Amino acid sequence: KAGVTQTPRYLIKTRGQQVTLSCSPISGHRSVSWYQQTPGQGLQFLFEYFSETQRNKGNFPGRFSGRQFSNSRSEMNVSTLELGDSALYLCASSSTGPGNTIYFGEGSWLTVV
Amino acid sequence: AQTVTQSQPEMSVQEAETVTLSCTYDTSENNYYLFWYKQPPSRQMILVIRQEAYKQQNATENRFSVNFQKAAKSFSLKISDSQLGDTAMYFCAFMGGGSNYKLTFGKGTLLTVNP
């Protein structure tokens, strides 16, 4: 069974631009969540989607948004990029059920210059 | 809000020895789940072990085991017979019960296994 797949793996953007990151969950998983990892703040929860609905949202500005499609694939978008948005963005998926294990992708490295 | 604290930013251990990583958490919930994830230099987050709070028995996965003390809100990870491939960042994580799919992570402990 294929794991969580994230694209692109690496990207460089300029301040003020926007970026879209894509995530394909493990087959059969309907919950997709996103995390930001930085050296200063560590791992922070961005949002979680289930059946195309955002169920949970972390404490990030409105520039960070996401969506989920009917096939459970998800995208996250960051608009008006700032230098501080440089980070590893991790997507994760989980099957239905409380406490089910969350499996992570390899991440998308975003550098804002 | 839940918080997870890992008090050891870095640790080192000799190959084949045993090491214990500490984690404490704060929550008012009674039903929840705890995880240890490993992040090697490749940055892929890999699940090491999972514990359900309503289970008193400590979880074990081969060389990895936990000491779960619910009253003390403590969840330490013991790695036995340490191997060079265990060198990684280790994160303790909390997930609330119900339909909460959000993980709250600690700051991590960088473990180095020396030959």
Side-chain angles (χ1 to χ4, degrees):
Chain A
K1 191 186 262 192
V4 179
T5 305
Q6 292 187 244
T7 56
R9 293 292 317 283
Y10 304 92
L11 65 166
I12 300 174
K13 290 286 188 179
T14 304
R15 270 181 302 176
Q17 287 186 317
Q18 74 167 10
V19 66
T20 298
L21 308 178
S22 180
C23 173
S24 293
I26 292 172
S27 178
H29 286 189
R30 295 167 63 189
S31 169
V32 174
S33 50
W34 290 88
Y35 293 79
Q36 181 197 64
Q37 186 175 24
T38 60
Q41 299 300 316
L43 281 151
Q44 293 185 286
F45 172 80
L46 280 156
F47 26 65
E48 185 250 349
Y49 287 87
F50 183 86
S51 293
E52 302 178 66
T53 301
Q54 186 183 87
R55 297 197 300 185
N56 229 330
K57 188 178 190 304
N59 188 25
F60 278 82
R63 300 185 297 107
F64 291 80
S65 63
R67 59 178 177 169
Q68 186 181 33
F69 303 95
S70 59
N71 62 358
S72 293
R73 192 177 68 85
S74 177
E75 289 181 347
M76 70 162 280
N77 184 77
V78 188
S79 62
T80 320
L81 284 165
E82 300 176 359
L83 295 179
D85 297 332
S86 295
L88 176 65
Y89 290 88
L90 292 165
C91 175
S93 75
S94 174
S95 59
T96 307
N100 273 354
T101 298
I102 293 179
Y103 296 91
F104 285 83
E106 293 181 293
S108 291
W109 281 99
L110 171 65
T111 300
V112 182
V113 298
Chain B
Q2 289 82 14
T3 58
V4 178
T5 302
Q6 293 179 250
S7 58
Q8 306 148 315
E10 292 188 42
M11 294 188 73
S12 63
V13 64
Q14 293 299 120
E15 200 174 3
E17 293 188 344
T18 296
V19 64
T20 299
L21 280 57
S22 301
C23 171
T24 58
Y25 58 93
D26 187 26
T27 183
S28 58
E29 296 185 44
N30 188 52
N31 184 29
Y32 49 87
Y33 305 85
L34 296 164
F35 304 84
W36 280 97
Y37 281 90
K38 164 186 174 181
Q39 189 178 45
S42 67
R43 306 308 290 272
Q44 170 87 57
M45 293 286 281
I46 301 165
L47 175 71
V48 174
I49 201 163
R50 173 178 178 272
Q51 175 79 41
E52 297 160 350
Y54 60 85
K55 287 188 177 179
Q56 291 185 326
Q57 186 173 5
N58 289 326
T60 61
E61 286 289 340
N62 301 313
R63 299 182 295 108
F64 299 88
S65 61
V66 298
N67 183 4
F68 173 50
Q69 301 290 327
K70 190 172 184 179
K73 296 180 181 174
S74 170
F75 183 60
S76 61
L77 174 70
K78 185 172 84 170
I79 305 174
S80 303
D81 186 25
S82 296
Q83 301 175 359
L84 296 178
D86 294 334
T87 293
M89 197 74 170
Y90 286 80
F91 292 96
C92 178
F94 173 99
M95 181 193 294
S99 59
N100 187 328
Y101 288 73
K102 171 187 171 183
L103 285 168
T104 300
F105 286 92
K107 292 291 188 185
T109 296
L110 177 60
L111 176 67
T112 302
V113 180
N114 298 309

